[in-house]
Amino acid sequence: MSDVAVTASLPGAALDRLAAVHDVRVRPPGPPLSGAELAAFVGGAEACICLLADRVSAEVFASCPRLRVVANYAVGTNNIDLAAARAAGVVVTNTPDVLTEATADLTWSLLLAVARRVVEGDRLVREGRFTGWRPDLLLGTGLQGKTLGVVGLGRIGRAVARRAVAFGMRVLAWSRRPPADVLDTPWEMAGSLDELLSRADVLTLHCPLTPDTRGLLDARRLGLLPAGAMLVNTSRGEVVDEAALVAALEAGRLGGAGLDVYEREPAVHPGLLGRDDVVLLPHLGSATRETRAAMADLAVDNVLNILAGHPPLTPVA
Ligand code: DGY
């Protein structure tokens, strides 16, 4: 039996499977852990399952010499010092594939909510301000024939792009490393990010957070979007310069934004909170019962494999 540290209780029955064969310590609900706090919690554990806001810093690898695997309960791994993990010989795993469709659905929920003013309409009804049908009540933006700009063509970006066909949108995509199968799709690849931005009626972000993508959507790039364009972000908040986004919205240059993630999550830029043209969600991309249980199963199976001396199912390169 190995000591396994889990930083939060997880949906589904996966942790019961783990606890049947290992000593599992589950942290009670609390704020995300700093590197020092996580190191203290992991202690002498051989495996750790952690959340996307827990900081798996070099300090964790230096202070936890028995650690063999960190299973991130997320597909994004920007919370983990991967170089330090490699140097320490610790395997890092994530949860790809199982959350792709849920995250693409949520992206479209945000896109439609912004374009068709769904949340404003809900507020109007609840506040007793619905006095009857009017030809000009809460007019939104039609999507048919418009261009969806997709930044990042990993699994989620592609799943979002696939759905665009059903809404009659053209897909214009940009990726640092376009996948080979993109040639079999009706999507157009932009020659550069600037070209994509200058042609996107709706921009949706699906790139991982890396040093290259931090602040990718800055004031200059936001300024390239056509007047009235909408932004949707279900990737990582730090990809967007939130102050620049607020300035573009305040200047009336953008048609709205749908955000699931924030630059200083869980804090939200105060300039966003009072705006009717912005829909804000609390990082719900993968939040379906089915998906969160599947993520737990995958994280647990990765841990079980490593502790049994088998290769992990979804190692992070
Ligand atoms: C992830 O897995 O990276 C998502 O942000 C979780 O919803």
Side-chain angles (χ1 to χ4, degrees):
M1 273 206 170
S2 298
D3 178 11
V4 181
V6 184
T7 67
S9 181
L10 304 178
L15 288 183
D16 296 336
R17 282 198 294 122
L18 189 60
V21 281
H22 293 292
D23 283 329
V24 176
R25 287 185 280 125
V26 180
R27 180 180 178 245
L33 295 169
S34 67
E37 290 165 338
L38 183 61
F41 177 66
V42 171
E46 285 177 66
C48 171
I49 299 178
C50 61
L51 306 188
L52 57 84
D54 295 325
R55 290 279 141 222
V56 193
S57 60
E59 183 176 359
V60 174
F61 300 106
S63 318
C64 305
R66 290 173 56 83
L67 193 58
R68 293 163 63 190
V69 53
V70 171
N72 212 32
Y73 186 67
V75 68
T77 51
N78 52 287
N79 57 318
I80 302 177
D81 187 331
L82 295 175
R86 265 192 300 276
V90 176
V91 174
V92 174
T93 67
N94 64 348
T95 59
D97 295 318
V98 293
L99 49 63
T100 299
E101 304 304 327
T103 307
D105 288 349
L106 197 278
T107 303
W108 273 92
S109 307
L110 270 175
L111 198 167
L112 290 164
V114 175
R116 298 303 303 274
R117 306 177 69 175
V118 170
V119 177
E120 277 181 271
D122 179 86
R123 268 188 224 123
L124 180 132
V125 174
R126 287 174 197 273
E127 292 168 7
R129 292 185 284 118
F130 180 38
T131 54
W133 191 90
R134 277 200 344 244
D136 61 349
L137 181 62
L138 288 182
L139 300 188
T141 303
L143 297 174
Q144 178 89 24
K146 302 279 170 60
T147 297
L148 178 67
V150 182
V151 174
L153 274 183
R155 299 173 187 84
I156 298 171
R158 278 181 281 172
V160 169
R162 277 199 305 275
R163 284 157 173 74
V165 178
F167 288 92
M169 293 190 82
R170 271 191 302 269
V171 173
L172 178 65
W174 179 80
S175 188
R176 278 206 164 77
R177 279 169 305 207
D181 61 0
V182 91
L183 295 173
D184 306 327
T185 71
W187 312 333
E188 184 187 347
M189 293 302 294
S192 66
L193 178 57
D194 282 7
E195 183 204 333
L196 177 131
L197 295 172
S198 66
R199 293 175 53 197
D201 297 304
V202 181
L203 181 70
T204 184
L205 304 176
H206 301 288
C207 47
L209 176 64
T210 66
D212 287 340
T213 62
R214 188 177 293 277
L216 186 74
L217 217 57
D218 57 11
R220 184 190 76 79
R221 292 197 174 103
L222 282 166
L224 295 176
L225 289 165
M230 291 171 275
L231 167 71
V232 176
N233 188 12
T234 58
S235 62
R236 285 292 181 266
E238 296 97 315
V239 175
V240 177
D241 177 338
E242 237 167 55
L245 172 61
V246 168
L249 288 163
E250 281 174 354
R253 287 212 61 262
L254 295 185
L259 305 175
D260 190 38
V261 289
Y262 305 92
E263 199 176 356
R264 290 174 191 81
E265 200 168 309
V268 178
H269 193 295
L272 294 169
L273 291 170
R275 298 197 63 86
D276 280 338
D277 54 1
V278 168
V279 177
L280 305 170
L281 294 181
H283 205 145
L284 296 181
S286 60
T288 69
R289 281 182 286 278
E290 297 86 347
T291 297
R292 290 284 167 85
M295 290 165 66
D297 276 324
L298 187 48
V300 162
D301 287 337
N302 275 312
V303 167
L304 288 171
N305 273 23
I306 293 291
L307 295 180
H310 302 309
L313 298 172
T314 51
V316 176

